[in-house]
Amino acid sequence: MRVFRSHRRFGLAALGAALAIGLSACSTNEWGFPYRVGVQQGNWVTASQVELLNPGMTREQVRFALGSPLLTSVLHADRWDYPYFYRAPNGDIEERNFTVFFRDGLLARWEGDEQPTLQPFQIAEDLVERSKREREQLELDQAREQAEPGEIQLIPGVDFSTITDVPPSTDPGAPPDEPDAVPQELM
C-alpha cells in the first residue's frame, strides 16, 4: 500500500511540474504564439501635410490638409490633436503627436513631433524596390561566381556569341549591315 501511495505522489508531483512549465511557457512570446499583429491607432500626418498649414486657415482648410482630428474636446474647442501610435509585432513602439490651435475660428499655431516624409504605402513600395534591387545584385554576384575562369559574363542570360567583330557604322541613318558611305570632299 505504501509503494502505491509513493508512486501516486510522484505522479502528481510530475504532473504539477509539467503544468507549471506549460503555463509559464504560454505567458512568454517564445512559445505558442508564432505571430503577433501590429497595432496602429491615430492619424498618420506627413511633413508635406504640415507644410500646407498657414496661420489664418479655417477649420475646414485644416481638416482638408491634415484630415479629421482623432481627438477634439468640448473643454478645449480651439485645439485639435493628431496622435499616432504603433506597436510592432516585435514589441517596438512608435509614437508621434501633432496639435493645431485655433483662435476665433482661424488657425493660430501648431506644434508637435517631427512627422515622416512618406505615407506607409510609399514606405512599403520603397522597401519592395530596394529588396528587388538587392535580389538582382545577389543573382548577378552568384552568376559571376559560377562563371568559369577567363569567361566574362556581364549580364546573366545574355548570349555574347552573337556579337561580331565588324566595326559599327558611323552613319546613324544607314540601314543595318551596310557599309559606310564613302565620304565625299566638300568643295
Side-chain angles (χ1 to χ4, degrees), residues 145-175:
E145 288 175 4
Q146 293 173 357
E148 295 179 16
E151 177 185 353
I152 298 175
Q153 185 175 5
L154 300 176
I155 303 171
V158 175
D159 183 17
F160 289 99
S161 65
T162 59
I163 298 175
T164 62
D165 292 335
V166 177
S169 173
T170 56
D171 182 11

Side-chain angles (χ1 to χ4, degrees), residues 13-109:
L15 179 63
L19 282 174
I21 290 172
L23 291 175
S24 67
C26 289
S27 66
T28 67
N29 289 338
E30 309 233 354
W31 298 26
F33 301 105
Y35 180 73
R36 297 184 73 175
V37 177
V39 177
Q40 178 176 331
Q41 296 175 322
N43 299 82
W44 184 283
V45 177
T46 63
S48 59
Q49 289 174 295
V50 173
E51 290 174 2
L52 296 174
L53 298 179
N54 290 311
M57 292 175 75
T58 64
R59 291 176 188 265
E60 290 78 25
Q61 290 171 326
V62 172
R63 183 176 280 119
F64 181 78
L66 300 178
S68 297
L70 183 66
L71 299 174
T72 57
S73 171
V74 176
L75 301 175
H76 302 285
D78 290 336
R79 173 183 172 152
W80 286 358
D81 290 300
Y82 292 86
Y84 176 77
F85 174 86
Y86 177 70
R87 176 175 296 151
N90 65 1
D92 292 345
I93 293 177
E94 178 183 353
E95 285 186 84
R96 289 189 304 274
N97 292 306
F98 190 76
T99 306
V100 294
F101 298 93
F102 296 94
R103 183 175 297 122
D104 299 326
L106 300 176
L107 181 63
R109 63 185 178 93

Side-chain angles (χ1 to χ4, degrees), residues 111-125:
E111 62 185 38
D113 301 327
E114 185 176 342
Q115 302 300 315
T117 57
L118 300 174
Q119 291 285 352
F121 69 90
Q122 293 169 319
I123 294 170
E125 287 174 354

